[in-house]
Amino acid sequence: MTLANRQGTGAVVPVERNDQRFRAGQGTAAGLSIVFRKFRKALFGKPNSDRSDTEGQFNVQYPEERLSLPEAYRNMPILLFDDATGHELCTSCFQCERVCPPQVIHITQAKDPATGKPVPSAAEFIIEYDTCMSCGYCAEVCPFDAIKMDHDYELSTSNHPELDVNYNRLLRPVSYYETIAPTLWNDVRESAMKKLQNNIKRRPGAIGVDHGQKVGAKAAPAAVARPADPAGAGASAVVPAAKRAPVAAIGKTMSEEKLAKLQSIRADNQAKRGGAGAPVDSAHAVEAAVGVQPDTAQVAAPDAATPGSVAPGATGPVAAVGTSMSEEKRAKLEAIRAAKRAQGGE
Amino acid sequence: MLKTEELRINIGPQHPSTHGVFRMLVTVDGETLVDLKPVFGYLHRNHEQLGEVNSYLQNMPFTDRLDYFNSMINNHAYARSVEMLAGIEVPERAQYIRVIMDELSRILNHATALGFMLGDMGAWQTALLWGLREREKILDLFEYVSGARMMCNYARFGGVARDIDDYFITETRKLMDGLPHYFDDFEGLLTNSEIMLARARNIGVLPKELALSYSVTGPVLRASGVPYDIRRAEPYAVYDRFDFDIPVGTVGDVYDRFLVRIAEMRQAYRILEQAFQQLPEAGGGHINPKVKQQSLKPPIGEAYARVESPKGELGFYLVSDGTGNAYRYKVRAPSFINLTALADMCKGYKLADAMVILGSIDIVMGEVDR
């Protein structure tokens, strides 16, 4: 039988109300026995990881433990720039501004100072994070893959105007996006880079590079400039202007699963390039340009940044429960749990 | 007999068991409810007018915010309405993906709705958290496939935003392995409990005729004994290809609504099983590539598409004048229409029963007020 001419069947079934049964509390007792069974499993069972489990421990101790985020996860939009050249991928084509349902994207096109003609680059780019509804349309329609959805969800701030995020605070290196969504970026990487090369040719001078400085001088009216030092800024919404922030720090809490994926993709790409007889140097150069050495990044992470001083953007790509939690955090969690156990025992 | 004076009191709009910002203006005689007037509008946010200003695609994420428990089903219903308006064909695979998401939504909605209802009844926390736990697992799957847990924004005109992959299928299969145990546990927890029977049986009876005259739909109508399910009455997507039963109640009280919802979760599980069996054979991609999503301009005309949401008949009415945004956009929200029957359901019962009856209708204020 083919799918199209399959005919479903079904009946109208009255639900059973168990009306005539003799009652002496056995219904309540049956329910309570289920509760006690589950309660025992929750107390002495193992933490649950499989989706088919219906008993055991389900809790995730949030600040210490985090669930890993899927690659497609979307929170707030960010803009990408190329690690090697510093060129922004955005060409101010206004597609995202047009499609944005709550209309929170505001773009100003860059102009050539010599001729006054528009250049495929944005002079200013503001997104109102407080009104953004995270629908992901901007990332979906962007023909240049310049705007992507970030994974950072710890955006709370006491400074409301800060949530009108300007260009330099929206910018992230491509390698950062690669760490949070390796497969998705791999699908579009080649076309995005090709388009970027074409656009660079049409950008005279330094337009489209080093945006942080230019905009900083102009001092965008809505966005309050934030201190460049992430440690001084404390826990706040957006990664500060430092475009050249060490990418290694950003990728430090990448889950192992994602890391493995990223490395395999890179190996593939390298093999492709190497097949044409490229020298080992060029592969190194690419690695250096991208700026991430995930192996060292993970080791270096705990001492490079203490929890208080990390900009939340850096903690975005979140560790899978128990798998890639940093040693420090795991030890802390163990200590907390041991203390609780001791308390319960006494 | 002692003469008593009637008293008018407000329940809500900020009350833990009014399921959102909803006010009930009740008149009580002692503890007996004499009259009830539902007052809503506190969550009004101009949804329908916004739908007439926004383009067709731009309105999709706003439909997520109607019934925020089932954004997948809202998206499906809205996409169906626009597809009907513009004459867009949907590939078979996309239809199956939509059905899978709809039935997962149905399970999560009923699990939480029953949890909240039992919470109103006094079974504080246990039942509710069991419902939320299953919901959480399903939301993780939604997050994987669509990028967001609750505001999925997953449907597009002519399909869905992203295809489902092997990981999603294996994980959903895993989840489904645990679902029958979950249904049994949830049913065993309170179905025969004497306290539950005392609180639910013959409480909030909605007779068949009254239900029909209020045009109540969904589990509330089926609990009153009317076997009306849009999936069977007017099959959409590929629902005509599945074997599933329609559970109906006999009395139309709170207890029947509880039982009907549990039975519906089991039927949703059956549909999921069949959908996953048939999915590999289904042709076409996850989306119709010919459709211009952003600059869609349907021809002049009108369309009304409806789906069976877990709360009842969810319909979107659109009128096109040939431009990029709808001339008229109207939502037929099941919660809103089911809520109009609340007064007749509550009259004559005790004040404490009003909460349980409200819980048994399963309303979401985002959909009621729009």
Side-chain angles (χ1 to χ4, degrees):
Chain A
M1 189 160 59
T2 60
L3 219 51
N5 52 29
R6 222 199 103 82
Q7 269 300 319
T9 55
V12 175
V13 185
V15 288
E16 241 182 84
R17 282 171 66 91
N18 305 337
D19 268 332
Q20 288 90 22
R21 207 183 279 172
F22 168 72
R23 307 228 153 260
Q26 78 272 40
T28 311
L32 279 177
S33 75
I34 296 177
V35 173
F36 281 125
R37 201 185 71 220
K38 300 268 172 181
F39 186 54
R40 206 168 42 107
K41 284 273 167 64
L43 276 186
F44 305 112
K46 282 179 186 153
N48 240 308
S49 54
D50 198 283
R51 234 175 271 273
S52 63
D53 286 334
T54 53
E55 44 197 20
Q57 292 176 10
F58 289 90
N59 293 9
V60 176
Q61 303 293 334
Y62 162 58
E64 290 89 12
E65 284 178 308
R66 286 141 191 268
L67 294 171
S68 66
L69 294 171
E71 282 188 30
Y73 178 75
R74 50 184 155 86
N75 195 27
M76 291 291 163
I78 49 170
L79 292 163
L80 300 183
F81 70 87
D82 184 28
D83 294 75
T85 57
H87 266 284
E88 288 120 16
L89 270 67
C90 176
T91 62
S92 76
C93 68
F94 295 95
Q95 293 260 22
C96 50
E97 189 181 303
R98 236 171 273 145
V99 81
C100 180
Q103 294 167 12
V104 296
I105 300 178
H106 309 284
I107 309 172
T108 316
Q109 196 164 30
K111 277 189 181 137
D112 189 343
T115 59
K117 280 184 182 158
V119 176
S121 171
E124 184 51 296
F125 202 116
I126 294 174
I127 300 180
E128 299 167 42
Y129 268 22
D130 50 351
T131 323
C132 170
M133 66 202 287
S134 302
C135 65
Y137 278 159
C138 47
E140 219 172 287
V141 301
C142 183
F144 300 94
D145 293 295
I147 189 162
K148 292 286 174 195
M149 303 307 277
D150 199 1
H151 284 198
D152 181 17
Y153 49 80
E154 289 166 325
L155 297 171
S156 77
T157 174
S158 52
N159 184 9
H160 194 179
E162 195 175 87
L163 290 172
D164 290 345
V165 184
N166 64 8
Y167 204 176
N168 52 349
R169 284 160 63 216
L170 284 169
L171 282 166
R172 301 282 189 287
V174 162
S175 52
Y176 167 71
Y177 184 67
E178 204 181 6
T179 58
I180 61 174
T183 357
L184 294 182
W185 179 248
N186 194 49
D187 291 345
V188 297
R189 191 175 54 87
E190 272 180 33
S191 74
M193 284 303 151
K194 212 186 218 171
K195 283 172 188 167
L196 177 68
Q197 292 312 317
N198 283 339
N199 284 321
I200 289 176
K201 282 179 210 154
R202 293 162 59 202
R203 287 174 181 169
I207 290 180
V209 199
D210 266 353
H211 212 94
Q213 291 170 12
K214 267 194 298 182
V215 176
K218 256 191 269 172
V224 173
R226 293 186 53 249
D229 175 20
S236 60
V238 194
V239 170
K243 262 173 65 172
R244 311 264 181 248
V247 184
I250 294 173
K252 74 181 184 304
T253 49
M254 204 190 337
S255 75
E256 265 161 29
E257 179 192 331
K258 270 188 193 169
L259 191 67
K261 216 175 207 172
L262 177 65
Q263 273 166 349
S264 76
I265 289 170
R266 279 193 179 155
D268 272 6
N269 289 340
Q270 223 157 311
K272 268 185 224 155
R273 256 179 258 127
V280 191
D281 279 21
S282 79
H284 267 299
V286 170
E287 198 67 43
V290 170
V292 181
Q293 261 121 30
D295 300 332
T296 54
Q298 284 228 330
V299 179
D303 46 27
T306 52
S309 69
V310 184
T315 59
V318 169
V321 180
T323 54
S324 65
M325 217 193 312
S326 74
E327 290 301 318
E328 194 184 318
K329 275 188 184 168
R330 194 175 315 195
K332 209 173 181 181
L333 183 66
E334 281 306 315
I336 293 169
R337 282 198 174 147
K340 272 196 187 149
R341 235 173 281 140
Q343 254 181 6
E346 280 154 21
Chain B
M1 201 179 153
L2 196 68
K3 185 97 173 64
T4 53
E5 200 178 324
E6 286 184 355
L7 181 70
R8 293 186 100 197
I9 49 172
N10 274 312
I11 303 175
Q14 282 115 355
H15 188 276
S17 59
T18 51
H19 296 253
V21 273
F22 170 59
R23 181 154 71 107
M24 290 188 278
L25 190 57
V26 297
T27 313
V28 285
D29 181 8
E31 270 206 64
T32 311
L33 232 138
V34 181
D35 193 20
L36 185 147
K37 195 172 156 246
V39 184
F40 28 71
Y42 295 97
L43 215 60
H44 178 72
R45 56 205 184 283
N46 214 9
H47 176 77
E48 290 179 0
Q49 288 285 302
L50 277 176
E52 289 159 20
V53 176
N54 287 336
S55 73
Y56 287 95
L57 184 67
Q58 279 178 335
N59 196 39
M60 183 73 79
F62 286 100
T63 61
D64 288 335
R65 275 93 178 150
L66 284 172
D67 175 359
Y68 39 80
F69 277 92
N70 316 297
S71 59
M72 286 284 189
I73 293 185
N74 297 342
N75 288 171
H76 184 179
Y78 177 68
R80 245 173 67 71
S81 176
V82 176
E83 280 153 13
M84 203 184 266
L85 193 64
I88 296 168
E89 268 185 38
V90 186
E92 216 167 32
R93 186 180 169 82
Q95 302 268 31
Y96 275 96
I97 296 173
R98 283 178 178 183
V99 166
I100 288 167
M101 299 303 166
D102 282 13
E103 295 310 313
L104 284 173
S105 291
R106 201 175 310 278
I107 291 172
L108 81 83
N109 179 77
H110 283 346
T112 21
L114 292 180
F116 278 117
M117 186 185 109
L118 294 172
D120 289 349
M121 220 174 255
W124 184 234
Q125 292 297 342
T126 305
L128 172 59
L129 283 180
W130 286 14
L132 287 176
R133 188 190 71 208
E134 287 312 296
R135 171 170 175 261
E136 208 61 22
K137 291 186 200 166
I138 297 172
L139 288 184
D140 283 347
L141 293 170
F142 284 176
E143 187 182 32
Y144 176 79
V145 71
S146 75
R149 295 155 56 78
M150 287 175 79
M151 304 302 152
C152 298
N153 190 16
Y154 186 55
R156 295 288 179 275
F157 310 132
V160 292
R162 292 178 70 218
D163 203 353
I164 57 176
D165 56 6
D166 291 341
Y167 176 84
F168 178 82
I169 292 171
T170 45
E171 285 296 306
T172 317
R173 283 289 194 176
K174 265 192 215 164
L175 170 91
M176 283 165 63
D177 289 342
L179 279 179
H181 304 291
Y182 168 72
F183 298 147
D184 291 343
D185 284 342
F186 199 84
E187 202 167 4
L189 181 65
L190 282 166
T191 305
N192 291 320
S193 162
E194 279 69 20
I195 304 167
M196 162 89 179
L197 292 176
R199 289 301 305 277
R201 213 184 261 197
N202 297 323
I203 299 292
V205 178
L206 183 68
K208 206 188 245 184
E209 294 74 26
L210 196 61
L212 286 171
S213 70
Y214 269 119
S215 69
V216 161
T217 46
V220 184
L221 178 68
R222 288 192 284 276
S224 295
V226 184
Y228 177 72
D229 188 319
I230 297 167
R231 291 175 293 172
R232 181 57 50 73
E234 190 197 301
Y236 56 94
V238 283
Y239 273 113
D240 50 352
R241 299 181 191 173
F242 302 122
D243 302 335
F244 63 97
D245 297 336
I246 298 173
V248 295
T250 42
V251 181
D253 55 1
V254 171
Y255 193 51
D256 265 346
R257 279 167 222 144
F258 174 80
L259 294 172
V260 163
R261 287 208 172 93
I262 287 188
E264 272 186 20
M265 284 201 275
R266 292 186 193 275
Q267 298 304 325
Y269 173 78
R270 273 179 76 188
I271 296 175
L272 276 176
E273 290 253 285
Q274 295 168 50
F276 276 116
Q277 268 170 20
Q278 297 174 18
L279 180 69
E281 291 176 52
H286 67 287
I287 193 161
N288 183 346
K290 284 180 221 151
V291 183
K292 287 180 198 156
Q293 302 284 347
Q294 299 165 57
S295 56
L296 187 75
K297 281 180 184 160
I300 294 170
E302 58 178 355
Y304 177 72
R306 54 188 189 156
V307 302
E308 181 70 27
S309 106
K311 297 179 168 70
E313 174 182 334
L314 173 66
F316 284 91
Y317 174 66
L318 283 168
V319 180
S320 166
D321 56 356
T323 57
N325 45 356
Y327 175 74
R328 176 81 177 98
Y329 166 65
K330 164 97 178 76
V331 186
R332 189 240 188 246
S335 298
F336 174 67
I337 290 164
N338 292 356
L339 196 56
T340 53
L342 177 69
D344 275 337
M345 282 188 208
C346 289
K347 270 176 204 165
Y349 298 100
K350 298 277 187 268
L351 183 59
D353 293 332
M355 305 302 171
V356 181
I357 296 167
L358 179 68
S360 77
I361 301 177
D362 179 18
I363 56 159
V364 159
M365 290 317 283
E367 193 177 55
V368 173
D369 289 340
R370 307 196 280 288

